[in-house]
Amino acid sequence: MLFEVFIICTTVFSLWIIGKLLVLLDVVYVPKKKCVHLWRSAKHLNQAVYCSICEIMLTSTGFYCESCGVCADSQCIHSAELVLKCKENYTQSSPTDKTIRDQMHMWIKGNLTQVYECCVCQRDIDYHGRPGLYGYRCCWCQRGAHVNCFAKASDDNVCDFGSYRNLIIPPNHVFMKRRRLQRITSIVTPDWLDWKPLIVVANLKSGDSTAAGVMATFRSVLNPIQIFELSTSGPEDALRLISKIRSVQCRILVAGGDGTVGWILNELVRKNIKPLPEVSIMPIGTGNDLSRVLNWGGVPPQELNPMELCEKIQSAEMVYLDRWHIDIEGRRSRRLHMNWLPHRKLQMYNYFSIGVDAQIALNFHKARDSPFYIFSSRILNKILYLGFGTQQVLDQYCVGLEKKIMLYIDEKNIELPELQSVVVLNIDSWGAGVKLWQMSSDDNDTRSHSISDGVIEVMGIVSSFHMAQLQVGLNRPIRLGQGRKVRIVIREPFPVQADGEPWIQTPCEVNISCNGQVKMLKCTA
């Protein structure tokens, strides 16, 4: 018995050591087999599909492969694994072998996910709802062909990866070491104009769990090694893959909320990724304020169309976003018997606030972290926010904020009116789409707002009832000023938040200053 325990402990310790060594060696994990089907329930599809083996219509117990689109019922899934290949992720080769072989089309019969135009006769592949497997589709270049035209379409079987090849890492350019522990050794840049591969990172904990659908959607168009899920290992694996794509501008699609986007942006800067990737957003959080400013919307599209999403990303405009450094220096408090000075540094992209809105966000986060919070949905989150906002009308926890803090903009002391919240804005979207700066403007106002000018705006909110009025456009916020540096002296413990992450801040001095810029993609479609 003791010997068996010793063997188990030794094995676990050895695997832990190997894992640490792989991280130090900058290893990118990949599946042991390079063309494994990624099965998902067919109930997630919005169309009737047929088994690729027996050709019967699938019920909710059937499956489809996220990567290649092959379908199978529960009885045929084993046969599909043996007979039908999936997309290859990489080339099994020695590190010194840089010979790039041609990539062949990978044709999949039937179950076309949209109206395809035949690449031979240029007519729509439409069979008027008749049951069965009709037409062919290449799961790399997304070209389609009628059954009768397929012989001509497959004459030249070399695939050029189609209209969205600038987003794809071609598997014939990904090289692996032939060892027991397989890892990517290099990615050779294809000879394509403006190649900017897209890396998709998704947070399954954001919003109402739309991230799984986003991952499945992009696996059908991109190389599956380009898709990463954040809740298990964070962004480390995605950043390792980007580091293998040397001297090439990458794009990143973040499927998550504002907190997830900020997390990725901070890691890109901390890891000193060069060149800095351009970041786009799939809004699946609760507020999605940065996504709204960059025209990606406040909610995800009802139907995830991979072609439409790729088109939007390819045509998006690169813009710079200011990155603000927040330095929080603790202050001694006799009332709290604090003889030590806590010091905290963090980065901000959207806004920093102190007062009633931060208190509501803090209550919401406590509720979401509760074991009683079982169902995650955007509607439920908004109801919780509304409930906690109503509670603050009665509690009045943040009354008299103007007497408990001091505000300096560019070292000028600002006289504060009666307030319950001060909001420091980098983007003009707060509280799930409220444009505070725009709402407070008048006809004679000449002061502009920009996300890339190194200037930040400071706004005041009177109460939680005032917040509710702002949400429906029945009132205006109070402008406190603009500047390149903001300093706030907090004399008593107060709730604060930075980009939607709230906490209770003890007496301190908060200094906010610009700390460079990051690259974002603004949707123009």
Side-chain angles (χ1 to χ4, degrees):
M1 183 65 180
L2 291 176
F3 179 74
E4 292 176 354
V5 172
F6 173 77
I7 293 297
I8 294 173
C9 293
T10 303
T11 303
V12 171
F13 181 75
S14 301
L15 292 174
W16 180 81
I17 291 294
I18 291 171
K20 291 294 183 182
L21 288 174
L22 291 176
V23 171
L24 293 175
L25 291 172
D26 194 29
V27 170
V28 180
Y29 281 102
V30 295
K32 187 174 181 181
K33 296 181 180 179
K34 61 180 178 179
C35 46
V36 178
H37 288 290
L38 297 172
W39 298 109
R40 194 175 190 224
S41 174
K43 68 181 180 181
H44 295 291
L45 295 173
N46 296 321
Q47 66 178 76
V49 292
Y50 302 87
C51 178
S52 298
I53 300 297
C54 65
E55 299 194 20
I56 65 169
M57 181 182 289
L58 297 186
T59 63
S60 59
T61 59
F63 302 91
Y64 79 100
C65 175
E66 295 179 351
S67 296
C68 66
V70 163
C71 299
D73 58 31
S74 54
Q75 287 76 32
C76 298
I77 192 168
H78 181 66
S79 299
E81 286 278 6
L82 296 176
V83 176
L84 302 175
K85 284 188 176 182
C86 190
K87 282 181 176 179
E88 291 187 348
N89 300 338
Y90 53 85
T91 296
Q92 189 74 45
S93 175
S94 64
T96 58
D97 183 7
K98 301 300 182 184
T99 303
I100 308 295
R101 61 177 175 80
D102 289 333
Q103 178 68 36
M104 299 294 108
H105 283 295
M106 183 172 178
W107 297 102
I108 304 296
K109 186 177 180 181
N111 296 320
L112 275 62
T113 55
Q114 59 181 0
V115 177
Y116 272 81
E117 181 183 273
C118 178
C119 63
V120 177
C121 66
Q122 282 74 51
R123 289 184 298 174
D124 288 344
I125 305 173
D126 186 5
Y127 290 90
H128 308 290
R130 285 180 289 172
L133 297 174
Y134 293 102
Y136 286 86
R137 174 186 64 90
C138 174
C139 59
W140 283 115
C141 66
Q142 308 304 321
R143 288 185 176 90
H146 290 104
V147 173
N148 296 334
C149 299
F150 178 65
K152 293 181 180 179
S154 58
D155 284 344
D156 182 10
N157 206 29
V158 177
C159 182
D160 64 358
F161 293 92
S163 302
Y164 307 110
R165 67 179 184 175
N166 288 340
L167 302 178
I168 300 172
I169 300 177
N172 56 330
H173 286 66
V174 182
F175 287 85
M176 297 283 300
K177 276 190 176 179
R178 293 176 177 172
R179 292 185 177 178
R180 186 174 181 181
L181 291 173
Q182 301 190 54
R183 64 180 185 269
I184 294 175
T185 57
S186 63
I187 296 176
V188 179
T189 303
D191 188 19
W192 299 340
L193 185 65
D194 295 330
W195 183 57
K196 293 183 178 181
L198 177 66
I199 309 300
V200 179
V201 290
N203 188 353
L204 293 180
K205 296 181 179 180
S206 291
D208 52 4
S209 302
T210 312
V214 175
M215 294 171 67
T217 297
F218 279 97
R219 281 196 183 106
S220 67
V221 179
L222 307 178
N223 189 329
I225 68 168
Q226 297 175 239
I227 316 300
F228 297 89
E229 198 275 303
L230 292 172
S231 63
T232 52
S233 60
E236 294 296 324
D237 290 340
L239 297 183
R240 285 196 204 103
L241 179 64
I242 293 173
S243 68
K244 298 293 182 183
I245 309 170
R246 304 185 187 279
S247 304
V248 174
Q249 178 78 68
C250 290
R251 297 183 178 105
I252 297 178
L253 174 67
V254 181
D258 290 332
T260 305
V261 177
W263 181 20
I264 297 300
L265 293 174
N266 285 336
E267 287 299 307
L268 290 174
V269 175
R270 188 176 69 86
K271 294 284 188 179
N272 196 28
I273 302 295
K274 300 290 184 174
L276 197 63
E278 301 166 349
V279 179
S280 58
I281 305 172
M282 171 62 70
I284 60 174
T286 303
N288 303 314
D289 287 296
L290 183 56
S291 176
R292 296 171 194 268
V293 169
L294 297 174
N295 294 340
W296 296 104
V299 295
Q302 292 185 348
E303 184 176 348
L304 296 172
N305 185 324
M307 307 303 177
E308 183 180 335
L309 295 173
C310 287
E311 184 64 38
K312 286 184 177 181
I313 291 171
Q314 281 201 146
S315 61
E317 172 193 1
M318 195 280 289
V319 297
Y320 287 98
L321 174 69
D322 288 334
R323 184 172 187 261
W324 294 84
H325 177 70
I326 302 178
D327 188 280
I328 303 175
E329 184 70 45
R331 297 168 66 90
R332 288 187 174 87
S333 173
R334 293 181 181 179
R335 188 170 67 85
L336 295 177
H337 305 290
M338 292 174 59
N339 295 319
W340 49 277
L341 299 177
H343 195 190
R344 184 174 184 181
K345 296 181 179 181
L346 59 150
Q347 310 300 321
M348 180 264 288
Y349 301 92
N350 298 357
Y351 52 81
F352 173 86
S353 68
I354 172 174
V356 64
D357 64 323
Q359 180 65 55
I360 294 171
L362 182 63
N363 290 340
F364 169 74
H365 275 250
K366 288 180 179 178
R368 193 169 62 175
D369 294 338
S370 165
F372 300 103
Y373 187 81
I374 301 173
F375 302 103
S376 175
S377 73
R378 189 173 291 102
I379 294 177
L380 177 59
N381 291 344
K382 290 184 179 296
I383 292 173
L384 283 174
Y385 258 110
L386 177 62
F388 289 128
T390 304
Q391 178 189 1
Q392 286 305 306
V393 175
L394 303 175
D395 287 351
Q396 300 285 301
Y397 178 77
C398 298
V399 170
L401 173 68
E402 72 282 356
K403 300 175 183 178
K404 301 169 185 176
I405 68 171
M406 295 179 67
L407 174 66
Y408 300 86
I409 301 178
D410 290 338
E411 297 304 325
K412 179 183 177 182
N413 188 9
I414 306 299
E415 290 292 332
L416 297 176
E418 289 188 5
L419 294 174
Q420 289 191 29
S421 181
V422 171
V423 183
V424 183
L425 284 173
N426 182 39
I427 63 173
D428 193 17
S429 183
W430 164 90
V434 180
K435 298 181 180 296
L436 294 179
W437 185 259
Q438 179 179 317
M439 291 174 65
S440 63
S441 64
D442 54 40
D443 295 338
N444 299 321
D445 186 20
T446 58
R447 293 176 294 177
S448 62
H449 169 82
S450 172
I451 63 173
S452 56
D453 59 357
V455 175
I456 204 163
E457 289 71 39
V458 186
M459 313 297 295
I461 297 172
V462 176
S463 65
S464 57
F465 182 68
H466 187 200
M467 284 180 59
Q469 291 177 313
L470 294 174
Q471 292 283 346
V472 293
L474 294 180
N475 208 331
R476 299 168 61 181
I478 301 171
R479 282 194 181 184
L480 301 176
Q482 283 179 298
R484 296 188 178 275
K485 290 185 179 180
V486 173
R487 181 161 63 96
I488 305 174
V489 177
I490 303 176
R491 295 169 175 168
E492 295 185 12
F494 252 95
V496 300
Q497 66 169 330
D499 287 351
E501 299 299 323
W503 70 94
I504 295 294
Q505 179 59 53
T506 54
C508 67
E509 181 175 297
V510 180
N511 288 280
I512 303 175
S513 58
C514 195
N515 186 30
Q517 295 178 320
V518 292
K519 294 179 180 179
M520 305 297 296
L521 289 174
K522 186 174 184 178
C523 183
T524 57

